[in-house]
Amino acid sequence: MRASGRLVLVLALALAAQAFYLPGVAPKEYADGEEVPLKVNKMVSSKTQLPYPYYSLAFCQPPGGVTDMAENLGELIMGDRIENSPYLLESNVPIGCKVLCTAEQDEKTTTLFQKRIKQDYRINWILDNLPAATKKTLVDMSGAKSYIYETGFLLGIVDEHGKAYVNNHVNMKVLYHTAQDFYGRRIVGFEVEPQSIRHGPFDASNPTAVPETCLRPVQWQEVDPEAPEPITFTYSVEWEYDPVKWSSRWDVYLMMNDSQIHWFSIINSLMIVLFLTGMVAMIMMRTLHADFRRYREMETQEEAQEETGWKLVHGDVFRPPALRMLLAVLVGSGVQVAAMTVITLVFAVLGLLSPANRGALMTAVVVLFLLMGLFAGYFSARTYKMFKGTDWKKNTLATATALPGLIFAVFFFLNVILGLEKSSGYVHFPILLGLIAMWFGVSTPLTFFGSYLGFKKPPPENPVRTNQIPRQIPEQVWYMRPAVSVLMGGILPFGAVFIELFFILSSIWQHQFYYMFGFLFIVFVILAITCAEITIVMCYFQLCSEDYHWWWRSFLTSGASALYMFLYAVFYFFSKLDITSFISAVVYFGYTLIMTMFFFVLTGAIRSEEHTSEL
């Protein structure tokens, strides 16, 4: 039984580390000649961080007009605008070169084309729920070749003289897999190779007419606002068999980064954090055992009756803190974020929130955050009642509105900026009204219900009685002062996550797929353990210094890691990104502020009050 139990545990950890995914949709087989719809998505750039709709530029329009595809809440918040396209692809039907249309251009549209090309915007297409990818060849020092895939393809190129050229021709390669029991072909890959071709004349009245320059490109198609000219868009399609099965077709997208560096960094970070936390636990155990042994020896001696160290403040240690309602609200909000994070990570590890389910991750975060208002109300009420608070209605209302209100205020401000910039990241007013309705119609009632349950339950009894007259706190050494000790305590929790934070920021701001949810879950567990341990250690040192104002410091010690997270985001902004626009910088730091607020209440709420109170 013990061996089988260990085997189950090993399999569970291996499953978590791999973080397998379910594609989220059933495989679709296309019979020969059957139309395969090609959809277009937003255009993105790592230089501006402002997504724009595909048809914000003068591309060829679909014959029946532009139609928005069905989108979920997460896609709307993330700025995905999936629409139909005029490109016609038929299963297993190759196309040598086909004219899509000749789009008329004027000075305004040409200027916009030129601006977007110089901002390095990339076009995103979707075929059978697979994003278009550009295949890149890498050659190492030994001459060995390897391939990576970049999502989407460049809108255009800029030469050494600063002239912009639009990629008006695309070579599409559709990879498919088939078997004897298939009635058609399953698409397992979608590669796009863009080109800029200045097409020569052709017979526009003939649907099958092909420009000679399509076969022998001579010049690039320049976009010059001073001399605007029509742009002829063409495309070719190639169908190729691939042995990759449909269930593994996302692997090539998830292996875009150097996975070896990722694994090595994560394991290295975990080993360092485990070593440090083990040292902290060992020091605490030895120090406490020495204190207990000394106190027992003093109790056996009649002449030694005076208490010292942390036992000296036992009559003041449970005195309610200043701003007790605010602390209770922060604790409740932190538990809300923690519960949302744990459930989201579990779903992600099980593969339910894979990149194939576009927008599912953001939808899960929003919905779970609203539902976890029940935990926010309960733990906020329990903490506030333990602090001898009586105004439970005000406490509950503050819990239901403080953190969501701050997040919504920042999000609304950024949304106004995106709206003024006509970005696809702009969330329309009806969607905002829907979010507000869910906030006050779902989250707020759950918060009040949780608060009712928390206040109904009797508060925990303190092991000692609190003195009526507060004890005077002696002068503290410089390293035990609140600001210094809090900043020192926040370093270790940040050290548990800063490597993983790099990959998360890269996935958000450089438009890469993040898929290591198994490792992220392990890092989260390490973070929780680290926050609890460093809080216990710092509170112990504080009580040994006869400073009994430990409530707020216990929250801020681990919560201070959010400050280092923000400083790291600032470093990432200047070292890894090439953002020069003020609006883009505001968007970056606005969303970073939201993430920092979440991280602050999350790490601050991971405290071990029961263990600390035992001291």
Side-chain angles (χ1 to χ4, degrees):
M1 291 298 292
R2 291 182 179 177
S4 61
R6 293 173 183 172
L7 179 60
V8 171
L9 178 60
V10 170
L11 291 176
L13 292 175
L15 180 62
Q18 292 296 328
F20 71 94
Y21 70 92
L22 302 175
V25 292
K28 181 175 176 55
E29 299 174 4
Y30 296 91
D32 290 348
E34 182 179 355
E35 181 179 354
V36 183
L38 190 151
K39 304 173 185 178
V40 297
N41 199 354
K42 61 185 178 182
M43 299 185 299
V44 297
S45 171
S46 58
K47 286 188 175 181
T48 67
Q49 303 302 330
L50 300 176
Y52 287 99
Y54 176 81
Y55 291 108
S56 61
L57 297 178
F59 288 114
C60 300
Q61 301 284 319
V66 179
T67 304
D68 291 334
M69 303 291 107
E71 296 169 323
N72 55 43
L73 180 62
E75 289 178 306
L76 293 174
I77 295 177
M78 296 175 63
D80 287 337
R81 293 292 184 268
I82 302 176
E83 300 162 319
N84 60 334
S85 76
Y87 291 89
L88 179 61
L89 279 73
E90 295 176 335
S91 177
N92 202 32
V93 177
I95 299 176
C97 180
K98 185 175 182 179
V99 176
L100 188 65
C101 79
T102 299
E104 298 293 333
Q105 307 292 327
D106 54 23
E107 182 179 355
K108 181 179 179 180
T109 58
T110 305
T111 301
L112 193 57
F113 258 114
Q114 185 187 67
K115 180 180 179 181
R116 296 288 182 260
I117 291 173
K118 291 185 176 181
Q119 291 174 336
D120 287 344
Y121 268 86
R122 302 183 67 87
I123 296 175
N124 291 290
W125 286 351
I126 301 173
L127 187 72
D128 192 42
N129 201 37
L130 276 180
T134 304
K135 190 175 183 179
K136 297 290 185 180
T137 303
L138 301 178
V139 181
D140 58 16
M141 299 182 63
S142 62
K145 294 183 179 180
S146 60
Y147 302 95
I148 62 172
Y149 284 81
E150 296 180 354
T151 307
F153 59 94
L154 285 173
L155 171 63
I157 52 179
V158 181
D159 65 6
E160 63 275 8
H161 303 293
K163 295 182 179 180
Y165 301 88
V166 62
N167 287 325
N168 57 327
H169 177 81
V170 286
N171 299 309
M172 291 182 269
K173 178 185 287 188
V174 183
L175 307 177
Y176 67 88
H177 183 76
T178 186
Q180 293 182 353
D181 55 341
F182 294 174
Y183 74 86
R185 305 172 192 274
R186 295 181 178 180
I187 296 177
V188 296
F190 183 33
E191 300 176 4
V192 175
E193 180 187 356
Q195 282 183 278
S196 180
I197 303 176
R198 186 182 179 88
H199 290 297
F202 67 98
D203 186 4
S205 61
N206 184 5
T208 60
V210 177
E212 294 184 0
T213 49
C214 197
L215 304 176
R216 292 183 297 275
V218 179
Q219 293 180 318
W220 292 350
Q221 178 63 57
E222 184 182 359
V223 285
D224 186 4
E226 297 181 358
E229 58 181 349
I231 301 176
T232 299
F233 290 91
T234 56
Y235 68 101
S236 62
V237 181
E238 176 186 357
W239 292 80
E240 181 179 304
Y241 173 80
D242 195 291
V244 175
K245 296 184 179 180
W246 186 89
S247 58
S248 303
R249 65 177 187 166
W250 272 90
D251 292 353
V252 66
Y253 296 91
L254 302 182
M255 294 299 292
M256 291 181 185
N257 295 319
D258 193 338
S259 59
Q260 293 183 353
I261 296 178
H262 186 101
W263 281 60
F264 175 78
S265 300
I266 295 300
I267 295 176
N268 183 59
S269 177
L270 293 178
M271 293 299 295
I272 292 175
V273 172
L274 286 175
F275 175 73
L276 292 177
T277 52
M279 287 186 60
V280 169
M282 182 181 65
I283 293 172
M284 279 297 301
M285 291 292 293
R286 296 188 61 179
T287 305
L288 285 178
H289 279 306
D291 286 344
F292 281 125
R293 184 171 59 254
R294 184 173 65 255
Y295 290 136
R296 292 194 191 100
E297 294 175 354
M298 292 173 59
E299 290 176 357
T300 59
Q301 300 176 6
E302 297 181 357
E303 65 276 8
Q305 297 294 331
E306 183 180 357
E307 295 178 337
T308 59
W310 50 266
K311 293 192 70 176
L312 192 62
V313 294
H314 72 275
D316 298 276
V317 74
F318 293 106
R319 191 177 304 281
L323 302 175
R324 54 187 174 184
M325 181 179 293
L326 177 60
L327 180 57
V329 169
L330 291 176
V331 171
S333 299
V335 174
Q336 179 183 11
V337 175
M340 174 204 72
T341 304
V342 170
I343 299 176
T344 302
L345 287 177
V346 170
F347 285 164
V349 169
L350 294 178
L352 302 178
L353 304 178
S354 71
N357 293 331
R358 193 172 287 101
L361 180 60
M362 180 60 67
T363 303
V365 168
V366 173
V367 173
L368 288 174
F369 179 75
L370 296 174
L371 294 178
M372 295 304 106
L374 177 68
F375 293 94
Y378 177 81
F379 284 95
S380 177
R382 291 282 293 158
T383 305
Y384 185 59
K385 191 173 183 179
M386 182 175 60
F387 293 157
K388 310 299 188 225
T390 57
D391 195 354
W392 70 274
K393 293 182 180 179
K394 184 177 179 180
N395 175 77
T396 305
L397 185 62
T399 305
T401 57
L403 181 63
L406 285 174
I407 294 172
F408 185 82
V410 176
F411 180 77
F412 182 79
F413 172 73
L414 298 177
N415 194 59
V416 171
I417 294 178
L418 295 175
L420 295 176
E421 291 291 321
K422 298 181 180 180
S423 170
S424 65
Y426 171 72
V427 180
H428 295 282
F429 189 68
I431 305 299
L432 290 179
L433 289 180
L435 292 174
I436 294 175
M438 289 189 294
W439 174 14
F440 289 102
V442 178
S443 181
T444 301
L446 287 175
T447 304
F448 271 86
F449 181 66
S451 180
Y452 168 76
L453 296 177
F455 272 101
K456 186 179 179 181
K457 189 175 181 180
E461 296 183 1
N462 297 330
V464 294
R465 186 176 59 183
T466 302
N467 297 333
Q468 294 183 355
I469 301 177
R471 182 182 179 86
Q472 185 177 1
I473 300 175
E475 182 70 20
Q476 301 291 305
V477 294
W478 67 270
Y479 55 83
M480 286 308 301
R481 292 176 181 174
V484 178
S485 63
V486 164
L487 293 176
M488 290 173 53
I491 295 178
L492 192 57
F494 173 74
V497 298
F498 84 97
I499 293 295
E500 198 70 18
L501 181 62
F502 169 80
F503 292 99
I504 294 176
L505 292 178
S506 298
S507 67
I508 296 175
W509 303 113
Q510 297 190 21
H511 312 290
Q512 301 174 3
F513 286 113
Y514 184 85
Y515 61 98
M516 289 291 188
F517 292 110
F519 280 109
L520 183 60
F521 184 83
I522 296 174
V523 169
F524 176 78
V525 173
I526 297 296
L527 173 65
I529 297 174
T530 307
C531 288
E533 288 190 354
I534 195 64
T535 301
I536 294 174
V537 171
M538 298 307 294
C539 286
Y540 170 75
F541 291 151
Q542 179 183 356
L543 296 178
C544 287
S545 301
E546 302 179 17
D547 183 359
Y548 52 84
H549 294 311
W550 65 277
W551 291 104
W552 269 106
R553 201 179 300 191
S554 67
F555 187 94
L556 297 176
T557 296
S558 54
S561 57
L563 174 61
Y564 295 101
M565 175 182 175
F566 186 83
L567 294 177
Y568 183 81
V570 174
F571 168 77
Y572 185 88
F573 176 83
F574 288 104
S575 62
K576 300 298 181 181
L577 300 180
D578 189 20
I579 295 178
T580 56
S581 170
F582 175 75
I583 298 298
S584 301
V586 171
V587 172
Y588 175 87
F589 286 106
Y591 284 116
T592 300
L593 180 61
I594 293 178
M595 291 188 294
T596 303
M597 287 190 293
F598 272 120
F599 196 71
F600 171 68
V601 296
L602 169 65
T603 53
I606 303 177
R607 305 179 299 163
S608 184
E609 297 178 5
E610 294 181 1
H611 289 81
T612 309
S613 64
E614 291 176 0
L615 299 178

